[in-house]
Structure formats: structure tokens, C-alpha cells
Amino acid sequence: MYAPISSSSSAFLGQRSSTNSRWSKVVITSRSCETIRCVVTPEKTAYKTTVSRNANLAKLQAGYLFPEIARRRSAHMQKYPDAQVISLGIGDTTEPIPKVITFAMAMRANALSTLEGYSGYGAEQGDKKLRAAIASTYYGGLGIEESDIFVSDGAKSDISRLQLLFGSNVTMAVQDPSYPAYVDSSVIIGQTGLFQKDVEKYGKIEYMKCTPENGFFPDLSKVARTDVIFFCSPNNPTGSTATRGQLEKLVQFARDNGSIIVYDAAYAMYISDDSPRSIFEIPGAKEVAIETSSFSKYAGFTGVRLGWTVVPEELLFSDGFPVAKDFNRIVCTSFNGASNIAQAGGLACLTTEGLKAMQDVVQFYKENTKIIVDTFTSLGFKVYGAKNAPYVWVHFPGQSSWDVFAEILEKVHLVTTPGSGFGPAGEGFIRVSAFGHRDSVLEACRRLKQLFK
């Protein structure tokens, strides 16, 4: 209890230190009453361990692209609570999973409640029947065996597992622009130098520039040799697809340099021309390539989570040790296998009826893509990609992609994705996703016509 202090006085309390809090100096004056009391306001200081932060994580710039977009969307919705915000930014599917697939998952889930149908841990590499179905459906005649297939909880997860496989001492190349997970996982594992703000790049990464001028395929004569090459076709975000001739050059480039290609084929089912759907269609690729893919954008499995990675037995490290054996060890150590319910859905996807249902879903999104392309084209914009992918790459020359993103969001309540979030070569572009309900896509296009007319 503190003694009364006259109203003409000032009171202060000195600091008191302790492990987790302290008393701060408080000055109180009063002229409206005869007495006042001192109020103690402890300032808490957080307890800190003696464990150092992973310095590689400290290299990362801002937040991961898509959570940052979600954050900005949330802030916009708080600012405009009555606005009908449409999202064509994050590439998340919107249409229901076909019933032939959900029925199979429901049956498997129900079976788990019976003694006869219950199962616990499965093989870390995936259900044998599913691995065989993937091999025969997507790699028939390409020399890929069931044993080369590793079923997973999605291609994104496998990208991180592959980085764990390669370790911190390898060098890597990436398309510019490209899916941010390649670069960010490379930074986290310790393969890179610091972020160089003047060029918007990380040190020790070889950025393979992909622009309209080179047909979105890098000039390999100007690309330095690296251990690992990340390559996505159809590409996210540009929507471009590598031709057979271009992939032949890429495979030969890898063979000449003793490199390993990590080929992301997550959108292969969107290809409608004669472009390769798998890197293994290219002779010699099995000795230099790994391929990862997913059911996410075919069957609406973005929330179900199911994908696969192909590591051919022919792929060897410099000492002759099979890459697949080390990847198997990584999988067995860090993963207990994909959900048995999700794998039942995967098997249903690869039946005759399931494949037809997935093709219908893909066709729906491709129709959305055409609507978006026609809209921007009619407004006079240069538009790229879109033919074999669910993404439209729109050019806003001389403008900041984040500024364009902000203008579209602010003025017409439409979420897109700024191109610079995919790499420095993405500056001046935005990516517009075709993943949306048809009425939402039509309304988004109406708003865009109103904004840019």
C-alpha cells in the first residue's frame, strides 16, 4: 500500500527487474482530487531459449506468396465487408470431386469401421495396386515400372522431400518465373546465398529466364551448369508448354552436365496438343530425371492430398548409388504413407469411369480459361499460356505487378496473382487462375471489362 501523495505532486515508481517482468517508471499528476495512487504496470519480457534460429529461414523474403495474397485479401474484405470478392489468384480447385471418386473414398472410410476392412499403416511407397495403375496409365510403354513410383500426399510435399534428398551442397537452377516452392525450399535447405535486392534473386541459384521473347524456354547456351534443374511443364505460372524438341534439348543439356532434372508434371492432363506429358517420353531421360505429379488439379484433390513421384532405377548418383534407394530412405524416415482413404480415391481416378470424370473436370477449367483469355484479348492485352494450362499470363508492360494486383483488387474486388511473386522475370505480369465457378469467372470478366474498357 502506497502513502497518499499531495495533488500538487508528481509520483514515479522506479524500475524493478525480475526474470520475466519489470516495473516501469510511472508519473502521475492530479489536480482534481486531494490524493492519488501509484499504479504499477509490469512490462513483460519474453523468455528466450539459447537455441539459434535456422539462419536459412532468416534469408526468406516476406511471406510465402500465396499466404501473403490471402492476407491481403482478408485485409481487403475487412475494409470492404459488403464487397463480393472473387478469387482467381491462388490455384485452388472449386468444382466438386466426381462422385465415382468420392464413392470409392466413402466405401474405404466405412470399411475402416469393420474388423475385416480396417487397416493401419500401409507401405510408405504407396498401395501396390495404385502404384501399378499410375505406371500403366501415365507411363505405359515408357519403361517406368511400379517400383519406380512413390505415392505421396502431393507434389509440393515431394519437392521438399527431394530437397532433403539432395542436401545443402548441391547447386540448383530454376525457371524464372516459376512456382515459388522450388526456390523457397532451396533456401531453407541451405543451397543458396543471401537475397540480392538489387536483382531480386538469391545468390547461388541459376535463374533460367523464360519470357515471351524466348518462347518461355530458357536459352540453355547461357545457363550455367548446376547439379539440379527444376522444370515445370505446363508451366506454373506462365501456362507455357515445352515442345518435344525443347525437352530433348533439356535432357541432352542435363546429360552433358551430369545434372538431375526435377520435372513437375502437375498439369500434364491439361495438354491438348502433341506436347509431351512426361519427361520420360524423351529418350535418355530415365538416366537424368525425376518426375513429380498430382491428382490435385485433375480430380479436385487439393484438400484430399494425393500425388506421386517417379524415380527411375536407372538414375544414379556420381558414385553409382541408385537415387531411388536414397529417396526410399527419405520417404520411410519422414513419411508414413498417403492416407488409405485418399489412395482409394486415387485408384478410382484411374478407372475408365474415373479418367472420364477427371477429363470432364479439366475440360470445364479449360473453358474457364478461354473465357478469361477472350476477355483480356478483347481489352487489348497481350496474353500468354492458357492453351495447355489453367493459367492465363497477362502482360502489363512498365507496371509493377503488385501495383496491378492492388488496383484490380481495390477497384473491382478481384484477386489475381502478381507475376513478380514467381521470380524477377515475372515483373510486369499477373497470373489469372481459371479455377473458379463459371458464374464467378463470368462476373470477374465483366468487372475487368468495366475496369479496363
Side-chain angles (χ1 to χ4, degrees):
M1 188 89 179
Y2 290 95
I5 303 173
S6 71
S7 60
S8 61
S9 304
S10 292
F12 74 92
L13 180 66
Q15 292 183 348
R16 171 190 171 184
S17 63
S18 68
T19 302
N20 292 315
S21 67
R22 64 179 181 177
W23 291 350
S24 60
K25 180 179 179 181
V26 180
V27 178
I28 303 176
T29 60
S30 173
R31 298 184 184 278
S32 61
C33 58
E34 290 300 321
T35 62
I36 63 172
R37 295 181 183 277
C38 291
V39 179
V40 178
T41 57
E43 292 182 358
K44 292 187 176 180
T45 56
Y47 173 81
K48 296 183 291 185
T49 71
T50 58
V51 179
S52 299
R53 183 187 180 195
N54 180 345
N56 294 316
L57 285 167
K59 296 179 188 175
L60 292 171
Q61 298 298 298
Y64 186 68
L65 174 62
F66 300 114
E68 174 62 18
I69 290 173
R71 185 192 68 78
R72 295 191 186 209
R73 178 190 178 189
S74 296
H76 181 79
M77 293 175 71
Q78 289 181 349
K79 183 179 179 181
Y80 300 102
D82 297 326
Q84 298 298 310
V85 177
I86 298 174
S87 180
L88 298 181
I90 297 172
D92 192 4
T93 52
T94 56
E95 300 310 294
I97 298 172
K99 286 187 177 180
V100 62
I101 301 168
T102 57
F103 180 77
M105 290 192 286
M107 291 290 289
R108 186 70 188 91
N110 285 331
L112 291 174
S113 64
T114 68
L115 285 173
E116 298 80 8
Y118 176 77
S119 63
Y121 292 126
E124 290 90 347
Q125 303 81 5
D127 179 81
K128 186 177 178 66
K129 291 182 180 178
L130 178 57
R131 297 170 76 193
I134 291 171
S136 61
T137 302
Y138 293 113
Y139 305 101
L142 300 180
I144 298 299
E145 305 296 332
E146 166 202 317
S147 57
D148 300 325
I149 308 289
F150 293 82
V151 176
S152 71
D153 54 346
K156 187 175 184 179
S157 299
D158 275 346
I159 288 167
S160 292
R161 293 186 189 108
L162 287 168
Q163 293 285 31
L164 189 60
L165 167 76
F166 295 130
S168 60
N169 292 326
V170 300
T171 54
M172 66 91 75
V174 65
Q175 288 163 289
D176 178 21
S178 67
Y179 183 46
Y182 311 143
V183 169
D184 282 12
S185 60
S186 181
V187 173
I188 291 169
I189 205 70
Q191 297 169 358
T192 75
L194 296 174
F195 186 73
Q196 303 165 355
K197 291 186 177 180
D198 57 333
V199 291
E200 297 291 313
K201 297 178 180 180
Y202 285 95
K204 299 183 181 179
I205 290 182
E206 180 70 14
Y207 288 81
M208 304 186 296
K209 194 171 184 178
C210 298
T211 64
E213 289 71 29
N214 61 17
F216 296 101
F217 186 81
D219 182 350
L220 296 176
S221 68
K222 298 179 180 179
V223 174
R225 187 264 170 205
T226 60
D227 297 311
V228 180
I229 303 168
F230 279 90
F231 197 92
C232 179
S233 181
N235 180 266
N236 177 14
T238 67
S240 60
T241 308
T243 66
R244 188 172 303 275
Q246 288 172 334
L247 290 182
E248 287 173 351
K249 291 179 181 178
L250 181 65
V251 168
Q252 189 59 51
F253 180 77
R255 293 181 68 89
D256 291 343
N257 288 288
S259 306
I260 294 177
I261 300 167
V262 176
Y263 190 81
D264 187 341
Y267 301 96
M269 204 168 176
Y270 285 79
I271 295 175
S272 55
D273 58 22
D274 60 355
S275 300
R277 289 168 173 75
S278 168
I279 191 66
F280 300 119
E281 293 182 37
I282 308 303
K286 286 188 292 182
E287 288 83 18
V288 293
I290 292 169
E291 181 167 299
T292 187
S293 195
S294 169
F295 288 101
S296 286
K297 308 303 167 64
Y298 306 162
F301 271 28
T302 52
V304 174
R305 308 307 306 150
L306 191 67
W308 68 90
T309 289
V310 184
V311 188
E313 64 178 357
E314 293 90 341
L315 182 63
L316 307 176
F317 285 117
S318 60
D319 63 356
F321 195 83
V323 174
K325 287 190 175 181
D326 272 357
F327 188 63
N328 184 68
R329 180 59 185 268
I330 294 292
V331 168
C332 292
T333 299
S334 62
F335 186 53
N336 275 329
S339 157
N340 44 27
I341 297 172
Q343 291 191 79
L347 271 170
C349 287
L350 301 180
T351 62
T352 301
E353 188 178 357
L355 286 167
K356 173 62 168 60
M358 288 197 297
Q359 289 166 354
D360 290 343
V361 171
V362 168
Q363 184 58 37
F364 175 85
Y365 291 128
K366 286 174 72 71
E367 290 168 2
N368 278 354
T369 307
K370 186 177 186 306
I371 293 169
I372 297 168
V373 168
D374 290 346
T375 296
F376 278 105
T377 301
S378 71
L379 293 168
F381 289 95
K382 286 283 186 70
V383 179
Y384 302 94
K387 182 180 179 182
N388 292 320
Y391 298 122
V392 182
W393 192 237
V394 188
H395 197 197
F396 287 79
Q399 297 187 57
S400 158
S401 57
W402 276 109
D403 286 348
V404 175
F405 165 89
E407 179 186 11
I408 294 174
L409 180 59
E410 179 71 21
K411 292 183 178 179
V412 297
H413 312 300
L414 173 63
V415 179
T416 58
T417 308
S420 61
F422 299 96
E427 185 59 280
F429 293 84
I430 62 167
R431 190 195 75 175
V432 184
S433 167
F435 294 119
H437 300 306
R438 182 60 50 81
D439 56 351
S440 296
V441 170
L442 291 171
E443 172 61 17
C445 290
R446 186 193 68 78
R447 296 181 191 180
L448 287 167
K449 289 178 179 178
Q450 184 179 31
L451 176 61
F452 294 116
K453 63 183 178 182

